[in-house]
């Protein structure tokens, strides 16, 4: 500003820096809130995997797939809890960066506050002296008037009156010279203070610009890192889900059915037919019914391959699955 005592430009810079600090605080709070959500979600997943039954009476290969499923869900929950801790650490780093910048900027602000105060005081003092000089300039006009009067009194008045006016003239002239000298000294002092203030103001602006560049760079990198962390979490979760898919591919319908048959089998012969015995006419020679020879139970043919009903998802294989 052309006004020497104005701080409108400096105040604008300080306001912008404070706004930047506020923006960092908002992102820090965002990370903290996200950490709370991730931790709560992770704990809920772990509780779901450990406490809720999920096919607990299944047998053999499908049981192993379900065990892998629950274990990987537990791992996903642990991953979300770990992500929450990582987000809190990033929020703490952002807080430390913000407070560090605030501390460094406070030193510069104190210097600028002191030099602004000194500049304004000197400017005020100089303007007061200037007004005094203006007053004595008016007195100088009176001095000229007195001089004319003295010349007139030399001819028409007494000597005592002459010397009174001469003394008043000398005093006025001395006061005028002192006032002018004081005014010059204050202007010189103000100019030195103005030059010092201008140098410090430039230094402060350069420092503030450096801080703003650092803040923008740090903020941008923090956002980039946060997105990478979320992407990494998704990749790790997909790896866990891939383990479930691999386990399901090892699930064999035929093996599970054979396993159940072998586990619960009661024999390999069918019950014999019931033989008729004649208790009504014991003396009649009744030809007994010959009991047939037990026939072993034959196993059924191979199980049909499962097919998908309309609307059901297709089974994915490892070869056909792409992990990004």
């Amino acid at each position: 500003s052309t006004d020497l005592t104005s701080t409108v430009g400096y105040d604008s810079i300080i306001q912008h820096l404070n706004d930047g600090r506020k923006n960092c605080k908002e992102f820090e709070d965002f990370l903290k809130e996200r950490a709370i959500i991730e931790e709560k979600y992770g704990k809920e997943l772990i509780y779901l995997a450990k406490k809720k039954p999920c096919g607990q009476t299944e047998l053999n290969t499908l049981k192993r797939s379900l065990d892998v499923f629950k274990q990987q869900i537990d791992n996903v929950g642990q991953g979300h809890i770990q992500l929450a801790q990582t987000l809190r650490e990033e929020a703490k780093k952002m807080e430390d960066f913000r407070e560090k910048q605030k501390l460094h900027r406070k030193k510069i602000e104190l210097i600028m506050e002191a030099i602004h105060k000194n500049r304004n005081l000197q400017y005020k003092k100089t303007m007061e002296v200037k007004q005094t000089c203006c007053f004595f300039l008016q007195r100088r006009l009176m001095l000229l008037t007195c001089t004319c009067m003295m010349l007139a009194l030399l001819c028409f008045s007494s000597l005592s009156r002459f010397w009174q006016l001469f003394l008043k003239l000398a005093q006025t002239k001395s006061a005028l010279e002192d006032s002018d000298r004081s005014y010059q000294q204050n202007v010189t002092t103000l100019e030195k203070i103005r030059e010092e203030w201008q140098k410090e103001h430039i230094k402060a602006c350069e420092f503030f610009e450096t801080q703003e560049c650092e803040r923008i760079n740090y903020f941008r990198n923090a956002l980039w890192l946060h997105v990478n962390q979320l992407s990494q979490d998704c990749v790790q979760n997909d790896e866990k889900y891939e383990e479930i898919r691999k386990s399901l591919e090892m699930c064999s319908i035929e093996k599970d059915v054979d396993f159940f048959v072998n586990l619960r089998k009661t024999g390999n012969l069918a019950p014999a037919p019931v033989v008729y015995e004649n208790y009504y006419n014991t003396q009649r020679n009744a030809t007994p019914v010959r009991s047939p020879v037990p026939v072993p139970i034959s196993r059924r043919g191979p199980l049909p391959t499962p097919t998908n009903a309309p609307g059901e998802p297709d089974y994915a294989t490892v070869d056909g699955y792409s992990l990004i």
Side-chain angles (χ1 to χ4, degrees):
S1 175
T2 56
D3 183 5
L4 182 59
T5 60
S6 174
T7 58
V8 59
Y10 176 81
D11 294 339
S12 178
I13 294 175
I14 294 299
Q15 180 62 42
H16 178 72
L17 295 176
N18 289 334
D19 290 341
R21 181 170 177 269
K22 179 182 177 182
N23 294 335
C24 290
K25 181 65 167 59
E26 290 175 352
F27 180 65
E28 173 191 329
D29 294 338
F30 178 88
L31 291 179
K32 291 180 179 178
E33 291 295 328
R34 179 63 187 267
I36 294 174
I37 295 172
E38 291 291 340
E39 184 177 35
K40 182 178 180 181
Y41 180 56
K43 289 182 177 179
E44 291 293 335
L45 284 179
I46 293 174
Y47 174 81
L48 183 65
K50 291 184 177 180
K51 302 298 182 181
K52 295 297 181 180
C54 181
Q56 59 184 354
T57 61
E58 288 294 344
L59 303 173
N60 206 30
T61 60
L62 183 56
K63 177 176 175 57
R64 288 196 293 269
S65 295
L66 289 173
D67 290 341
V68 172
F69 166 73
K70 297 185 68 176
Q71 180 61 48
Q72 294 305 325
I73 293 298
D74 183 274
N75 292 340
V76 170
Q78 296 290 349
H80 280 282
I81 293 177
Q82 181 60 40
L83 177 60
Q85 181 61 29
T86 301
L87 295 179
R88 289 192 179 95
E89 293 174 357
E90 292 302 320
K92 185 63 170 62
K93 291 179 182 178
M94 177 64 76
E95 180 183 4
D96 293 341
F97 172 79
R98 181 170 51 84
E99 292 300 322
K100 180 181 178 181
Q101 276 208 332
K102 176 185 176 182
L103 182 62
H104 290 174
R105 188 166 68 246
K106 190 64 177 179
K107 298 177 182 178
I108 302 298
E109 290 179 0
L110 290 175
I111 294 175
M112 293 301 297
E113 182 180 349
I115 202 167
H116 284 163
K117 183 178 180 180
N118 188 28
R119 179 199 62 185
N120 293 344
L121 289 175
Q122 184 61 36
Y123 180 81
K124 181 180 178 181
K125 183 178 179 182
T126 302
M127 292 300 103
E128 290 175 351
V129 173
K130 181 180 180 180
Q131 291 177 358
T132 303
C133 285
C134 291
F135 170 75
F136 278 107
L137 181 60
Q138 295 176 355
R139 297 290 297 271
R140 186 174 184 179
L141 295 176
M142 293 176 60
L143 175 63
L144 293 175
T145 304
C146 290
T147 302
C148 295
M149 293 176 63
M150 286 173 58
L151 294 175
L153 287 173
L154 286 174
C155 299
F156 304 106
S157 296
S158 63
L159 186 61
S160 61
R161 178 63 178 165
F162 170 78
W163 285 111
Q164 288 178 0
L165 291 175
F166 181 80
L167 180 61
K168 185 177 182 180
L169 175 64
Q171 291 174 348
T172 303
K173 182 179 179 181
S174 176
L176 179 61
E177 292 175 349
D178 291 341
S179 176
D180 184 68
R181 189 163 43 252
S182 176
Y183 177 49
Q184 291 180 7
Q185 291 175 352
N186 278 275
V187 170
T188 302
T189 304
L190 178 60
E191 178 60 19
K192 292 180 179 179
I193 292 176
R194 187 195 67 81
E195 292 177 354
E196 181 184 1
W197 159 76
Q198 187 167 333
K199 291 179 182 178
E200 292 297 329
H201 182 81
I202 293 174
K203 290 180 181 179
C205 288
E206 291 174 348
F207 175 81
F208 293 150
E209 182 178 358
T210 301
Q211 271 208 334
E212 180 66 4
C213 292
E214 290 178 352
R215 186 191 68 82
I216 294 175
N217 182 65
Y218 190 90
F219 204 156
R220 182 189 63 178
N221 291 343
L223 283 172
W224 191 290
L225 178 62
H226 177 60
V227 174
N228 284 349
Q229 289 168 345
L230 298 180
S231 297
Q232 181 65 26
D233 183 64
C234 292
V235 171
Q236 292 175 351
N237 286 346
D238 200 73
E239 291 175 353
K240 298 178 179 69
Y241 299 143
E242 179 64 14
E243 292 297 323
I244 299 174
R245 285 187 285 267
K246 290 179 180 179
S247 175
L248 288 173
E249 288 178 343
M250 300 300 295
C251 177
S252 170
I253 300 175
E254 185 174 355
K255 288 182 179 179
D256 283 3
V257 173
D258 288 341
F259 181 83
F260 171 76
V261 170
N262 293 329
L263 180 67
R264 304 299 184 187
K265 66 182 179 180
T266 57
N268 57 359
L269 296 177
V274 178
V275 178
Y276 171 75
E277 296 183 12
N278 187 357
Y279 295 102
Y280 176 72
N281 187 1
T282 58
Q283 295 183 0
R284 182 179 178 181
N285 293 329
T287 304
V289 179
R290 181 179 301 176
S291 298
V293 178
V295 179
I297 299 176
S298 61
R299 291 297 306 273
R300 64 192 177 284
L303 294 174
T305 302
T307 58
N308 297 334
E312 291 182 348
D314 294 334
Y315 287 102
T317 62
V318 176
D319 296 333
Y321 176 73
S322 175
L323 176 62
I324 302 177

